[in-house]
Amino acid sequence: FYIEEVLSKLRQEVADYHPGQGYSRPLFDRIEIDVWMSEEEKKWGVDEERISALEALHEDLYFNTLDYFEVMGEELEG
C-alpha cells in the first residue's frame, strides 16, 4: 500500500511540479509520516532488546522509501 499509494503519488507530484527536468538535486529535504499506535513494547530477554511494532514499522517505511527512490534514480539514469 505504502509504495503503490503513497510513494507513487509523491513521485507523480514531483514530476508534475518539475516537468521535464532532471533530478540531479534532492527532491525534498524530508518525508514526514504521522502514525499513532497503541502497541506496547515488550522485553525480549536478550540484553536490552525489545519487541516494538513501532520500531519495526519505522524500519519498513525507512528502508522501503530508500529502495523506492534508489530504483527511481536508476530508471531515470537510463
Side-chain angles (χ1 to χ4, degrees):
F1 173 82
Y2 175 66
I3 292 171
E4 294 298 320
E5 297 295 323
V6 177
L7 292 179
S8 64
K9 287 181 182 177
L10 178 61
R11 180 179 182 168
Q12 187 58 50
E13 289 288 325
V14 169
D16 289 347
Y17 189 72
H18 300 288
Q21 295 181 11
Y23 296 102
S24 60
R25 288 182 278 183
L27 303 174
F28 37 80
D29 65 348
R30 67 180 170 268
I31 298 173
E32 293 184 16
I33 303 169
D34 291 324
V35 176
W36 288 279
M37 297 177 70
S38 61
E39 193 78 23
E40 288 185 35
E41 290 188 0
K42 298 177 183 173
K43 288 187 178 184
W44 194 30
V46 176
D47 295 326
E48 296 295 320
E49 293 295 319
R50 297 179 174 269
I51 298 171
S52 170
L54 186 58
E55 183 178 346
L57 177 62
H58 174 267
E59 289 178 6
D60 287 346
L61 293 172
Y62 179 79
F63 289 110
N64 279 303
T65 301
L66 286 179
D67 290 344
Y68 182 86
F69 284 105
E70 179 180 3
V71 169
M72 181 180 134
E74 291 170 357
E75 289 173 0
L76 292 173
E77 288 178 355

